[in-house]
Amino acid sequence: MVKLEIVDVDVGDDYTEILCRDEAGYYYKFSTDPSKGKLLSLLVNDVYLPSNTIYELFINLVGAFNAYIHSIIIIDGYKDQAVVNIATGNEIQSIPISISDALILALLSNTDIYIKKQACLLEFENLEQYVWYRLLKELDLC
């Protein structure tokens, strides 16, 4: 796994793209709806004011049980799967969540974000169905 940081949030009328960079300088892009994108943009630009959103309530609930959000791990970028690791003493529990919700929780709780190296890679068996791959193969570039 490699550590990620959010570097930019591009919010449009009907889309939001979240740009992240890992420690090696590679970039990852995730999409979400504009309402979550606006919240992410406020958090990334440090202009968010606490307002008792569901995310803040979740963080407070976790804290009420003497636990904290240990880390966020992006499992699969194509299936929009991530987990929130909750630490209680010496034990860590994982809760499945969408990537955009996980990124919001990470920013609100100042938690590290990690990604599995395989999370955004295409499976080799499925490569043949992608137009760009067929084009590269036809041009003898791969």
Side-chain angles (χ1 to χ4, degrees):
M1 284 190 287
V2 291
K3 190 174 178 179
L4 285 183
E5 75 172 297
I6 300 173
V7 293
D8 192 22
V9 179
D10 181 21
V11 181
D13 291 336
D14 58 349
Y15 73 92
T16 297
E17 293 181 341
I18 308 151
L19 188 64
C20 300
R21 183 179 57 222
D22 69 15
E23 294 170 328
Y26 293 104
Y27 287 87
Y28 303 82
K29 184 169 61 171
F30 305 103
S31 298
T32 190
D33 62 88
S35 62
K36 290 180 184 176
K38 290 175 186 171
L39 178 55
L40 277 164
S41 181
L42 291 172
L43 289 165
V44 167
N45 294 307
D46 291 327
V47 293
Y48 176 75
L49 297 174
S51 61
N52 288 330
T53 62
I54 189 73
Y55 305 103
E56 291 164 304
L57 294 174
F58 177 78
I59 292 169
N60 291 337
L61 179 65
V62 167
F65 290 104
N66 293 325
Y68 63 95
I69 297 177
H70 178 267
S71 60
I72 303 291
I73 300 174
I74 297 173
I75 302 294
D76 191 326
Y78 294 106
K79 294 180 182 175
D80 193 27
Q81 296 175 340
V83 293
V84 175
N85 289 327
I86 308 287
T88 55
N90 294 332
E91 189 177 325
I92 294 179
Q93 298 289 325
S94 297
I95 300 173
I97 193 170
S98 73
I99 292 173
S100 57
D101 290 336
L103 295 175
I104 291 170
L105 285 173
L107 290 170
L108 282 171
S109 62
N110 294 321
T111 303
D112 291 335
I113 306 165
Y114 296 93
I115 188 167
K116 285 188 163 185
K117 288 184 181 182
Q118 307 86 347
C120 293
L121 299 176
L122 300 173
E123 295 178 18
F124 186 72
E125 300 85 39
N126 297 335
L127 277 178
E128 295 292 331
Q129 71 184 6
Y130 295 100
V131 174
W132 60 266
Y133 179 77
R134 290 194 310 256
L135 176 65
L136 290 175
K137 194 151 179 99
E138 197 161 307
L139 296 172
D140 259 348
L141 297 175
C142 65

